[in-house]
């Protein structure tokens, strides 16, 4: 079978040198495009979907961190009934309150 593509058998408008390899590449690209004419749209929709999922996921992650920050900061302590007052690691007697001075002040204000 004789050669089908020759150098300089096509004229390109943009000034590309028409070598046989360039013409063969263009023919292959054209055949690929005709076999999947909606491939460009599909790729565009895929990129939009990935970007949307990324933005939505990031927003949900940040919202979760803001809404649940109080849960991460909460300190739970178990006290045996009848032994609510215990000695903390630093030697102070506490009633498991983080704000002991405020509690005492509120108790004094309630008694008045």
């Amino acid at each position: 079978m004789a050669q089908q593509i020759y150098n300089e058998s096509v004229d390109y408008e943009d000034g590309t040198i028409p070598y046989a390899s360039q013409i063969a590449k263009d023919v292959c690209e054209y055949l690929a495009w005709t076999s999947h004419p909606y491939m460009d749209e599909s790729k565009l929709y895929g990129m939009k979907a990935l970007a949307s999922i990324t933005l939505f996921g990031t927003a949900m992650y940040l919202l979760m961190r803001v809404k649940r920050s109080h849960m991460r900061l909460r300190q739970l302590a178990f006290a045996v009934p009848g032994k609510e007052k215990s000695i903390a690691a630093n030697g102070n007697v506490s009633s498991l309150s983080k704000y002991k001075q405020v509690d005492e002040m509120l108790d004094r204000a309630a008694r008045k």
Side-chain angles (χ1 to χ4, degrees):
M1 184 170 175
Q3 183 178 357
Q4 301 294 317
I5 299 174
Y6 297 100
N7 289 337
E8 301 179 3
S9 61
V10 176
D11 292 329
Y12 289 105
E13 291 179 5
D14 64 350
T16 303
I17 300 172
Y19 290 122
S21 61
Q22 180 66 40
I23 296 169
K25 180 181 178 223
D26 291 341
V27 169
C28 289
E29 289 291 323
Y30 175 74
L31 291 174
W33 178 79
T34 56
S35 65
H36 300 289
Y38 300 110
M39 182 61 72
D40 294 335
E41 274 183 46
S42 299
K43 286 181 181 179
L44 184 63
Y45 288 143
M47 288 190 298
K48 284 181 182 179
L50 284 176
S52 299
I53 289 170
T54 302
L55 288 175
F56 182 73
T58 303
M60 287 297 105
Y61 175 74
L62 293 175
L63 184 65
M64 181 194 71
R65 286 191 54 94
V66 168
K67 291 290 185 183
R68 295 187 178 183
S69 64
H70 68 282
M71 292 178 145
R72 285 194 315 269
L73 298 175
R74 181 179 295 172
Q75 292 180 354
L76 300 177
F78 177 75
V80 177
K83 297 187 177 190
E84 286 84 10
K85 294 195 180 256
S86 63
I87 298 175
N90 59 5
N92 296 334
V93 176
S94 70
S95 60
L96 300 176
S97 175
K98 192 174 179 181
Y99 305 101
K100 186 175 180 183
Q101 294 173 349
V102 175
D103 290 342
E104 290 173 357
M105 185 177 67
L106 290 173
D107 286 342
R108 277 188 256 131
R111 281 187 248 148
K112 288 184 181 180

